[in-house]
Amino acid sequence: MSTTTSASKTAPVRLPETTNHNDHDDHTETETTHAHGGLLGKHAELIFSLLCGALLGIGFGLSYLELVPSTVSLVLYIAAYFFGGFYTAREAVQTIAKGKFEIDFLMLVAAAGAGILGSWAEGALLLFLFSLGHALEHFAMERAKKSIAALSELAPRTAFRKENGSTREVPITDLIPGDVIVIKPNTKISADGIVVKGNSSVNQAPITGESMPVDKKAVDDPEIAVDKAASLDAAYKVFAGTINGNELLEVKVTKAANDSTLSRLIKLVNETQSQKSPTQLFTDRFEKYFVPAVILIVTLLCFAFLVIDEPFSKSFYRAMSVLVAASPCALAISTPSAVLSGVARAARAGVLIKGGGPLEDLGALEVLAFDKTGTLTEGRPKLTKIIPLAGMTENELLKIVVAVESLSDHPLAKAISKGGRERLKNESIPAAHDMEAVLGKGIKAALGADDIYMGNMALFKSLDHAQPDDDIAAQVTTSEKEGNTTMLVRRNQEYIGIIAVMDTPRAEAKQALAELKAAGIRRMAMLTGDNEEVAKAVAAEVGVTDVYAGLLPEQKVAVIQQLTKDESKIAMVGDGVNDAPAMAKSTVGIAMGAAGSDVALETADIALMGDKLSLLPFAIGLSRKARKIIRQNLVISLGVVAILIPLTILGIASIGPAVIAHEGSTLVVVFNALRLLAYKWGQK
Ligand SMILES: Nc1ncnc2c1ncn2[C@@H]1O[C@H](COP(=O)(O)OP(=O)(O)OP(=O)(O)O)[C@@H](O)[C@H]1O
Ligand SMILES: [Zn+2]
């Protein structure tokens, strides 16, 4: 059906149920479609509500001035009922189908009751106020959702694929890893991939929040295998949804459309909306007891005319007023609206928060733990020392080292083999094999008939024979004191060299940690597998308070458990590669999610997409603001209910004021939550 298709392109619009229509109600069906997606667009709900108000006003005016017979007013009121009750009835049908009775249903009962008792004008007023409140509420929530939905509109729908020398436009869903696509200047990139031709600067803001364009260049070998992407430098990779600069690029697709970083991001953000925060769990539990209690009271009040001297209609009205007053609508929406706005605001800055849980927790904690390599430091260490021993030459040593480290994906290994190759120029490097990583200690491999070991002192202490002599140990200690991550190389039983590398702290680390301290973060711990001397040097430079060095991955987990016990809530910030277990054990796991790092996106509760530590103070500030708004919302929604219930029971407030207070508090709560969308770092 064409109207439905056109509606589905404007994503945020709620579509009518098209699955269960029968032939005989074709008329209503067309009408629904028009009302929502077609003629009146997404404002249909508001327009219907205003129509209801207008009809009610005219009807009331005419009958008040006694200009027309009362049947005319009656017809106008009934029409007002239709427009005011249309969406309420539809929502009531949907919730009842799910086995739940909500306020929509109660409103209809009240309005129907009013009609039966002949108070049409009052019933129409009820429906008008109720539908107006809800239309505004939906409108406000839509604004928050739109910030998120905008993400999914980032990806282009087609791509220009190279096929036997020419290019053809294909839907992105047809792309498979290995395809080469052409990205025209100043257009959106349609898939995750490796640049194989051209260089350009790319605006990655849609994914990372970083507005400065990033330079991208082609890899040396255009035949590069797709699965090499994970180990490539970011300068060679592009992401779906980012925007190409002024040059033409050719990109080898590495991920299918529904698997791209962008689409996973969208999936995660959408999941967010179904994950409940601690406050939400509390309000849910509260409602579980509150709603049945209200129903009981209301039923009793319906029969109040039996006890006190009043007509049934009065008792019934009083009961309906209590129903409206006691419906916890504002309470139900108070937290979800804040979570939605907070998550949307964060996403726009390049911080992915997976749900209300982490959003609320982050603002409550005063202790942060950081991984060192790749989090506080660049994670791209440079070769600083090559000390051959046992009569080796520097080149002989380097060849062995590069041969062995080429087999490993560890950031240290990559740095060493890169630096080594640069020094060796074009000399050929032998092939090592049978590599074994010794977690947190080093690496072992075979080269020809020799066994090569490379790693820290702990590695060699764990081997029971041929410990390094005092002279070698002293050289290692000196190098470490200078801040070098230092490794020994052993061939069979003989120590043949010392290799050292140094990593530089991230440029923004010092500033970010200072801001965190100013924001009241008491303890900042550094957890690292590196040796203590190096750890202390980095800690002093960036402003970390507690240093835990020489840790194996499982010891990192133990430290986190200890800190969690001492502090009750703690966040662990890591690069998501080998810190995943520690991140999982902390209250909030935060990943430096260099766009595209799978582990970061999936294991962490929060990912800093731009890889920027400077987003951390922002995220904490936003989270605190969200907590504050949630608290305010709870007070407003519970407060209004608490005041209104006695007033309606005693008959002081009738149904009109009850509806106004009810809908008013719901709107106040939602608009209060929307303030989060405009949050700026530094705001209280
Ligand atoms: N491939 C390797 N080659 C040589 N030494 C290694 C290798 N892998 C690990 N090591 C040694 O083990 C130590 C600990 O490694 P681990 O991976 O646990 O932590 P890291 O990457 O140095 O630091 P962080 O824990 O901060 O991420 C390293 O500092 C290094 O001395
Ligand atoms: Zn409501």
Side-chain angles (χ1 to χ4, degrees):
M1 199 168 151
S2 64
T3 39
T4 315
T5 334
S6 75
S8 65
K9 268 183 195 148
T10 51
V13 181
R14 285 183 309 150
L15 290 174
E17 304 284 354
T18 47
T19 41
N20 53 357
H21 47 89
N22 308 315
D23 287 335
H24 63 263
D25 60 22
D26 231 342
H27 174 70
T28 28
E29 211 255 309
T30 326
E31 206 172 64
T32 329
T33 314
H34 274 255
H36 246 151
L39 282 179
L40 302 176
K42 55 188 161 190
H43 299 305
E45 201 176 355
L46 188 59
I47 293 171
F48 268 40
S49 166
L50 295 176
L51 271 176
C52 167
L55 290 164
L56 168 65
I58 297 169
F60 188 75
L62 291 179
S63 74
Y64 187 71
L65 301 172
E66 295 179 25
L67 290 175
V68 289
S70 63
T71 40
V72 175
S73 302
L74 182 61
V75 170
L76 289 168
Y77 290 149
I78 292 176
Y81 260 58
F82 171 77
F83 288 109
F86 184 81
Y87 285 98
T88 314
R90 227 189 47 186
E91 252 166 64
V93 168
Q94 281 167 7
T95 48
I96 291 171
K98 284 186 219 147
K100 284 190 289 191
F101 288 89
E102 281 178 2
I103 180 164
D104 307 289
F105 175 70
L106 306 177
M107 273 299 144
L108 292 175
V109 172
I116 291 167
L117 297 168
S119 314
W120 289 97
E122 241 177 80
L125 179 65
L126 207 74
L127 289 175
F128 169 57
L129 291 174
F130 185 75
S131 61
L132 183 66
H134 273 232
L136 290 174
E137 177 192 320
H138 285 150
F139 181 73
M141 286 297 274
E142 219 53 82
R143 251 194 70 187
K145 284 198 187 134
K146 231 188 267 169
S147 310
I148 290 172
L151 280 174
S152 46
E153 277 150 32
L154 288 173
R157 294 176 199 282
T158 59
F160 294 93
R161 180 163 67 189
K162 282 182 89 174
E163 293 173 4
N164 325 314
S166 64
T167 58
R168 192 163 72 90
E169 188 169 2
V170 296
I172 55 162
T173 44
D174 281 6
L175 294 176
I176 52 168
D179 284 350
V180 175
I181 54 175
V182 176
I183 315 288
K184 295 177 179 165
N186 304 309
T187 59
K188 277 184 188 164
I189 295 173
S190 35
D192 283 13
I194 305 171
V195 181
V196 288
K197 198 168 164 192
N199 52 51
S200 189
S201 67
V202 171
N203 178 351
Q204 304 203 116
I207 298 231
T208 63
E210 168 65 84
S211 54
M212 282 285 287
V214 184
D215 287 330
K216 301 287 175 179
K217 57 188 178 196
V219 286
D220 296 333
D221 173 20
E223 298 304 314
I224 185 165
V226 167
D227 56 16
K228 284 276 186 304
S231 56
L232 275 181
D233 196 86
Y236 301 111
K237 294 189 283 190
V238 292
F239 303 99
T242 58
I243 303 146
N244 188 15
N246 293 322
E247 310 293 329
L248 191 85
L249 289 178
E250 284 187 23
V251 168
K252 181 171 268 187
V253 176
T254 51
K255 284 190 182 131
N258 62 2
D259 199 28
S260 71
T261 304
L262 178 67
S263 63
R264 274 185 298 142
L265 207 106
I266 295 162
K267 264 181 237 156
L268 289 173
V269 173
N270 283 331
E271 277 170 27
T272 294
Q273 297 172 43
S274 57
Q275 277 176 33
K276 294 193 167 165
S277 77
T279 314
Q280 237 169 314
L281 293 174
F282 159 75
T283 54
D284 284 359
R285 230 175 313 140
F286 178 81
E287 282 173 35
K288 217 171 102 188
Y289 297 103
F290 184 68
V291 173
V294 168
I295 293 177
L296 184 73
I297 294 175
V298 167
T299 320
L300 292 177
L301 280 171
C302 266
F303 296 101
F305 71 98
L306 295 176
V307 189
I308 55 174
D309 184 25
E310 70 176 9
F312 167 72
S313 63
K314 269 203 162 172
S315 289
F316 177 77
Y317 262 135
R318 188 190 295 242
M320 287 304 125
S321 312
V322 174
L323 253 189
V324 174
S327 295
C329 246
L331 183 68
I333 204 156
S334 59
T335 313
S337 58
V339 168
L340 193 62
S341 305
V343 168
R345 173 66 189 103
R348 210 167 41 180
V351 180
L352 183 67
I353 301 182
K354 294 203 220 158
L359 179 69
E360 282 194 46
D361 281 338
L362 186 63
L365 46 83
E366 293 173 3
V367 182
L368 290 174
F370 296 89
D371 160 61
K372 177 178 78 72
T373 313
T375 303
L376 291 174
T377 67
E378 295 280 353
R380 270 177 260 126
K382 302 232 164 16
L383 206 46
T384 46
K385 271 190 191 170
I386 306 152
I387 309 174
L389 303 168
M392 304 275 290
T393 68
E394 191 174 298
N395 275 13
E396 282 169 341
L397 173 64
L398 268 183
K399 277 188 194 177
I400 294 171
V401 166
V402 171
V404 171
E405 294 288 26
S406 301
L407 299 177
S408 163
D409 270 345
H410 196 280
L412 280 178
K414 279 198 252 173
I416 294 170
S417 56
K418 183 162 172 261
R421 273 175 214 275
E422 275 163 15
R423 289 187 199 218
L424 286 169
K425 304 263 161 41
N426 296 321
E427 287 193 52
S428 72
I429 290 150
H433 50 94
D434 291 335
M435 187 274 282
E436 256 174 65
V438 187
L439 218 56
K441 291 178 181 167
I443 179 174
K444 174 185 180 244
L447 186 64
D450 295 323
D451 283 336
I452 310 292
Y453 301 85
M454 184 165 173
N456 57 17
M457 288 299 253
L459 172 71
F460 298 98
K461 291 217 174 86
S462 69
L463 302 173
D464 49 358
H465 42 80
Q467 294 297 318
D469 62 34
D470 291 348
D471 178 43
I472 294 176
Q475 290 195 56
V476 170
T477 313
T478 315
S479 165
E480 287 180 342
K481 285 225 162 86
E482 293 163 10
N484 295 293
T485 299
T486 310
M487 288 148 285
L488 281 168
V489 191
R490 193 174 104 180
R491 181 168 59 192
N492 302 320
Q493 307 290 318
E494 187 181 30
Y495 288 85
I496 57 171
I498 299 171
I499 300 285
V501 299
M502 201 188 283
D503 200 358
T504 39
R506 282 178 181 274
E508 81 277 17
K510 191 174 178 177
Q511 165 91 18
L513 267 63
E515 284 177 10
L516 288 170
K517 196 172 166 195
I521 301 295
R522 251 182 319 111
R523 268 176 96 178
M524 286 182 267
M526 179 165 89
L527 275 57
T528 178
D530 209 340
N531 79 79
E532 188 151 4
E533 302 300 335
V534 179
K536 278 184 179 155
V538 177
E541 190 158 345
V542 299
V544 155
T545 53
D546 304 22
V547 177
Y548 299 86
L551 301 174
L552 297 174
E554 66 264 25
Q555 290 172 320
K556 285 191 183 179
V557 176
V559 171
I560 290 293
Q561 275 170 328
Q562 187 56 45
L563 285 172
T564 318
K565 223 192 221 158
D566 296 349
E567 305 282 354
S568 88
K569 278 192 173 156
I570 172 170
M572 164 85 192
V573 193
D575 56 1
V577 183
N578 52 9
D579 326 299
M583 269 156 51
K585 273 282 176 291
S586 55
T587 325
V588 184
I590 304 174
M592 302 288 284
S597 158
D598 299 16
V599 199
L601 273 177
E602 265 138 46
T603 56
D605 301 306
I606 295 178
L608 307 178
M609 297 305 292
D611 229 5
K612 285 184 304 183
L613 274 178
S614 53
L615 288 173
L616 208 50
F618 163 81
I620 290 180
L622 177 71
S623 166
R624 288 185 181 165
K625 177 101 182 177
R627 290 171 64 85
K628 200 160 133 189
I629 286 182
I630 289 172
R631 264 200 314 271
Q632 292 168 348
N633 280 358
L634 287 187
V635 172
I636 295 169
S637 51
L638 289 173
V640 168
V641 170
I643 295 171
L644 224 46
I645 288 181
L647 291 184
T648 46
I649 288 183
L650 297 174
I652 299 170
S654 71
I655 201 158
V659 172
I660 292 174
H662 168 96
E663 289 306 321
S665 63
T666 308
L667 287 181
V668 167
V669 156
V670 172
F671 281 104
N672 192 29
L674 283 189
R675 291 195 298 139
L676 278 174
L677 284 179
Y679 174 79
K680 283 197 185 60
W681 160 232
Q683 221 174 311
K684 279 282 164 293

